[in-house]
Amino acid sequence: MADSHGKHAKHGVADEGPLARTALRFTSFTEKWLPDAFGFVLVGTFVVLLFGLVTGEPLLKRPDDPAATKGYGLIDGWGLGFWSLITFTLQMAMIIIGGYAVATSGPVARLITRLARIPQSPRTAVAFVAGVAMLASYLNWAFSLIFAAILAREVARNVPKADYRALGAMAFLGLGTVWAQGLSGSAALQVASASSSPAPVQEVIKASGHASGLIPLSDTIFTWQAIVATLIVYAVGVAMAWFIAPGEGNARTAQEIGIELKPLIGRGSQYNGKQGVDGEARRPGDWLEHSPLFSLLVVALGAVYLVRYFDGKSFFNALDLNTVNLILFLLAMLLHWRPWRMARAVRDGAPAAAGVLLQFPLYGGIFGMIAYTGVSARLAGWLVQASNQFLFPPLVAIYSCILGVFVPSGGSKWVIEAPYVLQAANELNVDAGWMVVVYDLGEASANLLQPFWMLPTLAILGLKARDIMGYTFTMFLACFPAALIAVTLLAPHVTG
């Protein structure tokens, strides 16, 4: 490590371009001052608590108190919210482990290995990972967290002089830019499905001119305006990744950080499909673990169910986290072929979910202090008072981004915000479908400012939040303004 510091002292950030200098200085600050992800949620809990107190929310209150206004006090809201994300927590843990199992299977590992050979220089390596990560997150955000992280590790192994921190930040970039505009975007899928959209939300949507109470994907993420906005953010993201990548003199490689990068396939890899210690058949009873028979039977069972589940339904509208998890599980079983390989992949992927299990309950508490008290409604009131038809879209994006730092769950947050955001849009004559797009762009940008969704990626990369958040903050300073400009300029083309 001493040689690393000596190298950086010799070259200095002055040798870099202005954007790379900015990213390096932010990274230097976050490495020194930013707490780990767990510390972030601990601090965030009391930031929201103090904000609620300052804005007039009571500390202790129940809605059955005849002298009290509607809603809970902050402490009761925290307690109610603490386990409110428990189902979501398990879904996320399974999606992380399932995505890991798929990404580390032989066929997918070979695909990642081939992709990782494309970039040849440190700068192209960083931009390449950013581009692939955003494309993957557009298809499915959960899989992209794992796929892009493993790709970043393999790219770092092939381009050893690339800055490993920058590669890690770019592996996460899709969750901070385009995921919510993609095929797994929470808000767009919710408003398109009667089973997912709460009745109050459907009533507000009916008032906006959608008689069914639903907004089809053709009116949200698949409008030309939404596609243009997404392409603008994508282009800005790839360009920024290119410019912020530090040169060799200031790069921190995986070796300098102390991270060993084993190949995905080939000699020294645990994913080469060969039987190691875990795969040795030592007794007749081991045949069950080594035969693909029951793996294929489980895959067939699941495939029949999925065919029946999707029959007569719109694929994307019917796709939810449980279905995604089942698809990942079946795909992992099929790709690993033999049960012992699947079991090993799950065991190896389980540590990546540890941060989710520890931190999601605390984020649920933050969610409760906002959702079950008057904090959320008060914020919405301020938003509407400060808006007009022209300013409402960018203000909603900003509001969604700020709230997303403290309630980093797009689907849950949308359920709370949708009634008053869409009602305000109706009053200001702003298209409801466009507000879903605007909300999603703002909500995604929040992920670049807090480490909630970084946890799976960080676990696979062996990094801490403070290692990459200087880079993600720099990306935020470019990508979020690009989104604001896009939604502001495109809004006149979709207002009702």
Side-chain angles (χ1 to χ4, degrees), residues 153 164 253-261 460-463 467:
R153 283 182 64 97
Y164 192 64
T253 66
Q255 182 180 7
E256 291 169 354
I257 296 175
I259 296 173
E260 181 183 3
L261 300 176
I460 291 171
L461 291 166
L463 294 170
D467 295 323

Side-chain angles (χ1 to χ4, degrees), residues 34 51 116 157 223 295 363 405 431 454:
L34 198 71
F51 177 81
R157 196 178 66 83
T223 62
S295 291
Y363 276 109
V405 172
D431 183 79
M454 297 178 188

